[in-house]
Amino acid sequence: MSEPIGIIGLGLLGSAVAERLHEAGRPLLGFDPRRPDDLPVELCPDASQVFVNCSRVIFSLPTSRESTLVIDEVESVLKPGQVVLDTTTGSPEEMSALAERLQKLDVHYLEANVAGSSALLRAGEAGILIGGDETIADALKPLFADLTDAGAHYLGPVGNASRFKLVHNLILGLNRAVIAEALQFAESLGFDSSRAVSVLRQTAAASVALTGKGERMAERRYHPPQARLAQHIKDVDLMLTEAKRSGAKIPLTTLHRDLLQRARELGFGDADNSAVIEAFNRESI
């Protein structure tokens, strides 16, 4: 049997990673403090045991801060030549600092940001955005091929993949916000939302976001989430930080941040990000 792949973090995205790799026949060891028991992963008592037994470990964590905390925990058991693949959408600066720290230990750190939701990855339709040593990235192509059918895209040194993921998520997030606004507009004009989604999907207004989120919005069906609304607020905050640093003008994203915050205040932080439509509820404004 081949050496197991380690996975730290078995939430929405981590579970999709586990399922894809299991389907490809790869043995898996993992750790998550919630200890999910419904995944094809042999659970370890802590993150250190994952690193003791795996030369390649995938992180799928809420923020880059958690990635750093895991490295703090496991640093004493790290071995030269190990590879950390981080799917976390985090601060590019924190990702770069983590890569520099691990490089001193001869441990390779690559960003492996997922361009899409957990549902898209599970279906093999989410691309992987890679940042780090290109030689190591090339050597990992078979693993990336098992993760997705949509390809891996090398973007340069660590930090670049996280920055590009923010560009990607900006587009998807604004797409969702526009769909939410359009559907509440359609409803105000007397149209049935589900019917509106069905028609729009057959027009030039169609998009991946409309296909994936339109019906959820129409039905107000936010559970189980494919990606949590609160998690996207974190992404938008990172976008605003990077835009301030680079001098970019992203006024629509500032408005989007207000909508997401309103939806969270209404209790939809842990719901699917399609719940942004709740921010357009006329009774909530």
Side-chain angles (χ1 to χ4, degrees):
M1 180 180 290
S2 60
E3 179 185 290
I5 303 295
I7 305 177
I8 307 293
L10 293 163
L12 290 175
L13 185 59
S15 63
V17 168
E19 289 171 15
R20 288 287 304 182
L21 294 180
H22 173 71
E23 289 172 4
R26 293 185 181 265
L28 304 170
L29 294 180
F31 172 73
D32 189 300
R34 294 165 299 176
R35 299 191 63 79
D37 58 5
D38 57 346
L39 293 173
V41 180
E42 181 180 342
L43 294 175
C44 293
D46 53 44
S48 292
Q49 284 302 305
V50 176
F51 275 91
V52 166
N53 292 285
C54 303
S55 63
R56 292 170 291 178
V57 180
I58 299 171
F59 285 6
S60 188
L61 299 164
T63 72
S64 45
R65 174 60 178 160
E66 277 80 7
S67 294
T68 301
L69 290 174
V70 170
I71 295 302
D72 290 344
E73 178 184 344
V74 306
E75 186 167 4
S76 64
V77 302
L78 293 177
K79 299 183 288 289
Q82 284 184 304
V83 177
V84 174
L85 287 170
D86 201 341
T87 69
T88 304
T89 301
S91 161
E93 284 67 36
E94 290 181 0
M95 299 295 207
S96 296
L98 197 53
E100 291 176 9
R101 175 182 171 183
L102 291 174
Q103 186 177 30
K104 295 175 182 177
L105 302 172
D106 198 22
V107 173
H108 305 290
Y109 177 88
L110 270 72
E111 299 167 293
N113 299 113
V114 176
S117 67
S118 58
L120 285 174
L121 181 66
R122 191 171 279 108
E125 297 173 1
I128 308 293
L129 309 175
I130 307 298
D133 186 316
E134 189 169 10
T135 301
I136 302 300
D138 284 343
L140 292 170
K141 282 182 178 179
L143 179 60
F144 298 140
D146 286 344
L147 274 175
T148 182
D149 303 323
H153 309 280
Y154 181 74
L155 293 163
V158 171
N160 279 8
S162 291
R163 293 185 182 94
F164 198 86
K165 175 67 182 290
L166 295 178
V167 174
H168 172 272
N169 282 8
L170 183 152
I171 293 171
L172 284 185
L174 290 180
N175 263 267
R176 289 192 296 268
V178 167
I179 292 164
E181 182 170 310
L183 289 183
Q184 68 84 29
F185 181 46
E187 290 169 0
S188 76
L189 297 175
F191 295 106
D192 174 77
S193 288
S194 292
R195 175 60 176 158
V197 170
S198 178
V199 173
L200 290 169
R201 287 177 62 180
Q202 301 175 65
T203 73
S207 67
V208 171
L210 181 63
T211 298
K213 300 296 182 177
E215 198 59 37
R216 279 179 167 255
M217 291 183 187
E219 297 176 359
R220 305 307 196 260
R221 175 171 48 86
Y222 312 131
H223 296 281
Q226 296 174 333
R228 291 184 175 86
L229 185 140
Q231 191 72 6
H232 192 61
I233 294 179
K234 179 265 297 181
D235 295 352
V236 171
D237 286 339
L238 287 171
M239 293 170 201
L240 293 171
T241 297
E242 289 300 310
K244 184 176 181 180
R245 182 177 288 113
S246 69
K249 305 299 181 185
I250 54 172
L252 296 180
T253 297
T254 301
L255 293 173
H256 185 205
R257 176 62 169 76
D258 293 340
L259 292 171
L260 291 167
Q261 179 59 27
R262 180 57 180 152
R264 180 163 63 179
E265 290 170 353
L266 291 169
F268 295 96
D270 286 332
D272 187 79
N273 52 28
S274 57
V276 66
I277 195 172
E278 296 296 334
F280 293 94
N281 184 330
R282 282 167 290 179
E283 294 177 359
S284 73
I285 297 174

